[in-house]
């Protein structure tokens, strides 16, 4: 299955699933972005519901510096992800296989910049594997990548939505746009679905204000927790170097 076919699966106007009988689960009514990570599919950037690293313990406490990409003028909603850690992991889907291909500063913008080499060494140590070029796999020109790491620890359903890469956009249409489900098994996509974004019910709308406030407070709490954990690890590393 080539990347063009993968993109077709994600972009099909029909709600069609491949081999759904192996993965019975409740699908969300709409896409909710929960990570700074992005995945590139046929050179197109997608936001994700969660990081493919999220199944690994303390993935959000790696001692990488907290730096924000400065984008001016600022991009509208649907362009960048949501806070979950102090870095963005950039992924590539090629021939139905998921790869970690780069690291970026938080809120990875359409052009993926390159973090310091030491950050890549931190990730390599965390995953116990190295970024290496893989013959036959083309990395999109928007990504500065030192190589690829096959994400064979990734299994289960993930949800993605095409990211906005332009300044002028109808945010309402962007919100109502469909999203996709990708089901992985040991880093390989075994099925994909295109899903329709469902409108909020009256009950959901009435509680949405409180939900957003709680999410903001949770994000703020997570930010403090992660920064504290990173500073602790940095002090530990400095002591080990002395």
């Amino acid at each position: 299955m080539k990347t063009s076919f993968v993109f077709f699966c994600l972009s099909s106007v029909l709600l069609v699933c491949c081999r759904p009988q192996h993965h019975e689960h409740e699908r969300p009514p709409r896409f909710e972005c929960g990570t700074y990570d992005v995945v590139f599919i046929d050179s197109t950037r997608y936001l994700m519901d969660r990081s493919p690293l999220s199944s690994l313990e303390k993935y959000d406490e790696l001692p990488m510096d907290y730096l924000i990409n400065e984008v001016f003028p600022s991009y509208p909603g649907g362009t960048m992800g949501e806070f979950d850690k102090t870095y963005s992991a950039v992924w590539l889907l090629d021939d139905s296989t998921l790869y970690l291909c780069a690291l970026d500063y938080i809120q990875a913008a359409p052009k993926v910049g390159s973090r310091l080499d030491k950050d890549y060494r931190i990730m390599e140590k965390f995953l116990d594997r190295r970024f290496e070029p893989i013959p036959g796999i083309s990395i999109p020109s928007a990504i500065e990548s030192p190589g690829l790491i096959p994400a064979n620890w990734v299994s289960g359903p993930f949800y993605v939505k095409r990211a906005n890469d332009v300044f002028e956009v109808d945010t309402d249409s962007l919100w109502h746009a469909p999203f996709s489900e990708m089901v992985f098994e040991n880093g390989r996509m075994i099925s994909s679905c295109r899903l329709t974004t469902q409108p909020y019910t009256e009950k959901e709308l009435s509680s949405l204000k409180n939900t957003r406030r709680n999410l903001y407070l949770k994000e703020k709490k997570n930010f403090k927790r992660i920064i504290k954990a990173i500073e602790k690890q940095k002090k530990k590393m400095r002591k080990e170097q002395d």
Side-chain angles (χ1 to χ4, degrees), residues 11 13 22 34 57 59 75-77 87 92 104 117 133 137 142-143 163 170 182 192 195 197-198 209 219 222 240 242:
S11 303
V13 294
H22 296 293
E57 188 176 357
Y59 79 102
Y75 283 98
Y87 63 95
L92 174 68
D104 199 3
D117 185 67
I137 296 181
I143 304 173
D170 182 346
M182 302 187 299
S192 64
L195 304 173
T197 298
Q198 302 296 323
K209 185 175 181 180
E219 180 178 282
N222 284 344
E240 291 175 350
D242 291 340

Side-chain angles (χ1 to χ4, degrees), residues 104-154:
D104 199 3
Y105 301 107
I106 67 170
Q107 296 183 310
K111 175 102 176 152
V112 177
S114 180
R115 289 193 68 118
L116 299 175
D117 185 67
K118 71 177 182 65
D119 292 335
Y120 282 94
R121 304 293 80 79
I122 290 172
M123 181 60 72
E124 288 178 336
K125 183 178 181 181
F126 176 70
L127 295 175
D128 193 25
R129 56 195 85 184
R130 294 181 61 83
F131 286 93
E132 296 179 334
I134 298 179
I137 296 181
S138 177
I139 298 175
S141 59
I143 304 173
E144 294 181 27
S145 171
L148 302 169
I149 294 179
N152 54 17
W153 66 87
V154 176

Side-chain angles (χ1 to χ4, degrees), residues 167-198:
F167 289 102
E168 296 181 8
V169 64
D170 182 346
T171 54
D172 188 61
S173 297
L174 192 67
W175 186 89
H176 285 92
F179 61 107
S180 297
E181 175 191 81
M182 302 187 299
V183 179
F184 289 93
E185 191 171 288
N186 299 324
R188 187 163 182 83
M189 190 178 74
I190 59 174
S191 73
S192 64
C193 287
R194 182 178 172 89
L195 304 173
T196 302
T197 298
Q198 302 296 323

Side-chain angles (χ1 to χ4, degrees), residues 1-3 6 39-41 91-100 134 137 148-152 184-190:
M1 185 186 295
K2 301 300 183 184
T3 53
V6 172
V39 58
F40 281 77
I41 304 169
W91 307 86
L92 174 68
L93 187 67
D94 184 276
D95 197 17
S96 297
T97 300
L98 187 67
Y99 300 91
L100 175 60
I134 298 179
I137 296 181
L148 302 169
I149 294 179
N152 54 17
F184 289 93
E185 191 171 288
N186 299 324
R188 187 163 182 83
M189 190 178 74
I190 59 174

Side-chain angles (χ1 to χ4, degrees), residues 2-17:
K2 301 300 183 184
T3 53
S4 58
F5 182 68
V6 172
F7 183 71
F8 171 78
C9 288
L10 292 173
S11 303
S12 170
V13 294
L14 299 176
L15 180 57
V16 177
C17 294

